[in-house]
Amino acid sequence: MEFANVGSDHDTSLYNRLKAILPPQLKGGIPSSTKLLARKWTGYEKSWYEGRGTIDERIYRLRPFEEISSMGRNISFEPDFSLSSDSKLIKLTAIHLESYINEIERKYPEYHNIILMGGKDSQIIGLVPKITDSWSVFSADPNFPLVQKFIKENDIKVEKLYRYDGKNREDRATLTRKMICSDLRADPRHIRWRRRLREIADSYDSKCIFWSGTEADTIFSHFPLYHNQNREEYFSRHFTRATNFQGTTHQTTKNFTGCPMISPYHSERFWRTVMEHYDPGMISKNTDLRKRLGERVAGQSVSWPKANPAPDPYRYDYSVNGYQMYVDYIKSIVNDPRQSVISNRERQPSDSA
């Protein structure tokens, strides 16, 4: 895998949009040569595993809620689509967010909590009532000024407000380490700031938890790639695209910093008590329930930013042969486990609370 000067996020999105509008009967019949030309035309270069594959075909990656026994494989998640009221969805979610976050606070009182705050999904986490004062916020330009204003106008109590200018300061060694931490499962252009997050984690002696609003917009707002499909396809995308592209961000952060990155929107409890009954049909075009959800958890009106500017994907001026690098790394730790770049910590918080 050559990874160098990869195309922009717009290019990748264009490829995905072109793929999304094709009729189902055509998607499976596109020649590989045509797919390759489409990727080149949109500036897209594959630098990680898009699907569920791994570098070793003998390794099988479990799907969400998948169980394997002597009887075979089973997905123990069966949505019944009975939750079709947006008011009830907001109520249940608000209850879950507060109980889940407070439970983590009680379970790990010695840990400091840091919200990676950008848009509404993570801002809602900041609005949830807390039981400890051990909370800080990390934000990067160009979003930082908006986040700073959001915190001030809504009187959100934080211990520290960490700012990052958004510049890519990764050298080849850092990029290599980040790719190893993802097991070649994540697009390194979009996993930013981990070098800075590692510094922050070290300042707390690795006793911190990074909180993220991962994928909440695909639940509470109309997200065409998800909601313009039928009910079954909606959950299929969560169990494939979301886990493959977003879940690996959590993995990479944990491995790179030594501290967990969790989302209150993706605990097992939330998916069992809320999402297993969620009817995506309640979210129509232009629907966005996140402001109502934020006001529900805050117990008051909320002042929201009028924009959510996204940072540019990282660009690199050098190439990395990811496959060879990863194979060499595996061989090195087989011979000497002390060569591992993965951070191992004791008694880590988990997403199972």
Side-chain angles (χ1 to χ4, degrees), residues 242-268:
T243 54
N244 288 338
F245 284 84
Q246 299 295 335
T248 49
T249 304
H250 290 239
Q251 168 194 328
T252 306
T253 303
K254 167 61 172 63
N255 289 339
F256 196 94
T257 68
C259 296
M261 176 179 171
I262 58 180
S263 168
Y265 305 104
H266 290 280
S267 71
E268 181 178 2

Side-chain angles (χ1 to χ4, degrees), residues 1 56 98 101 120 137 149 185 338:
M1 171 184 62
D56 189 335
E98 184 170 350
I101 290 172
K120 291 186 185 71
V137 166
K149 182 180 179 182
R185 298 267 340 134
R338 292 173 298 178

Side-chain angles (χ1 to χ4, degrees), residues 33-282:
S33 58
T34 303
K35 293 180 181 179
L36 180 60
L37 286 174
R39 285 176 176 142
K40 288 183 176 180
W41 178 60
T42 59
Y44 173 84
E45 292 182 32
K46 182 178 177 182
S47 56
W48 69 98
Y49 288 89
E50 297 178 22
R52 298 176 59 253
T54 64
I55 197 168
D56 189 335
E57 294 181 355
R58 296 170 297 178
I59 298 174
Y60 180 81
R61 298 181 67 243
L62 288 173
R63 300 175 185 267
F65 300 101
E66 183 174 12
E67 300 171 350
I68 296 181
S69 67
S70 58
M71 303 297 292
R73 299 169 181 165
N74 176 53
I75 302 292
S76 62
F77 183 89
E78 298 182 6
D80 59 24
F81 314 111
S82 61
L83 178 55
S84 57
S85 165
D86 56 8
S87 296
K88 188 173 182 180
L89 172 64
I90 290 171
K91 178 182 177 180
L92 292 175
T93 302
I95 292 172
H96 166 78
L97 292 181
E98 184 170 350
S99 64
Y100 178 77
I101 290 172
N102 292 167
E103 185 169 342
I104 294 294
E105 290 179 285
R106 294 188 186 96
K107 191 172 183 179
Y108 299 97
E110 71 275 25
Y111 278 73
H112 193 78
N113 300 278
I114 303 172
I115 305 172
L116 307 184
M117 189 175 289
K120 291 186 185 71
D121 304 335
S122 51
Q123 288 162 0
I124 291 172
I125 300 174
L127 294 169
V128 172
K130 313 298 193 302
I131 60 175
T132 71
D133 296 325
S134 302
W135 287 84
S136 293
V137 166
F138 174 94
S139 188
D141 291 334
N143 234 324
F144 179 86
L146 299 174
V147 167
Q148 185 179 40
K149 182 180 179 182
F150 171 80
I151 291 172
K152 181 179 180 181
E153 291 183 346
N154 294 291
D155 195 26
I156 298 174
K157 306 300 181 184
V158 296
E159 184 175 303
K160 292 183 179 180
L161 184 53
Y162 293 97
R163 180 175 191 167
Y164 189 73
D165 60 15
K167 295 180 179 179
N168 180 6
R169 294 184 173 83
E170 293 181 358
D171 55 17
R172 188 190 300 270
T174 303
L175 171 61
T176 298
R177 184 172 187 271
K178 186 169 69 172
M179 294 175 73
I180 289 173
C181 287
S182 77
D183 290 318
L184 300 187
R185 298 267 340 134
D187 181 352
R189 301 171 303 167
H190 297 284
I191 301 184
R192 314 168 188 88
W193 323 308
R194 267 49 192 181
R195 185 172 182 172
R196 177 60 180 135
L197 295 184
R198 174 58 188 263
E199 294 172 353
I200 294 173
D202 289 344
S203 72
Y204 290 103
D205 195 25
S206 298
K207 289 187 178 296
C208 70
I209 303 169
F210 294 111
W211 292 82
S212 169
T214 305
E215 293 279 302
D217 53 348
T218 65
I219 300 172
F220 304 104
S221 66
H222 187 263
F223 203 102
L225 190 62
Y226 286 74
H227 289 99
N228 285 356
Q229 316 296 326
N230 60 36
R231 290 167 163 177
E232 289 73 19
E233 182 64 21
Y234 172 87
F235 283 101
S236 175
R237 289 188 181 276
H238 264 289
F239 284 4
T240 53
R241 186 182 189 277
T243 54
N244 288 338
F245 284 84
Q246 299 295 335
T248 49
T249 304
H250 290 239
Q251 168 194 328
T252 306
T253 303
K254 167 61 172 63
N255 289 339
F256 196 94
T257 68
C259 296
M261 176 179 171
I262 58 180
S263 168
Y265 305 104
H266 290 280
S267 71
E268 181 178 2
R269 183 191 305 161
F270 178 72
W271 275 73
R272 288 297 190 190
T273 60
V274 179
M275 292 304 293
E276 199 159 11
H277 309 293
Y278 174 91
D279 180 3
M282 81 175 88

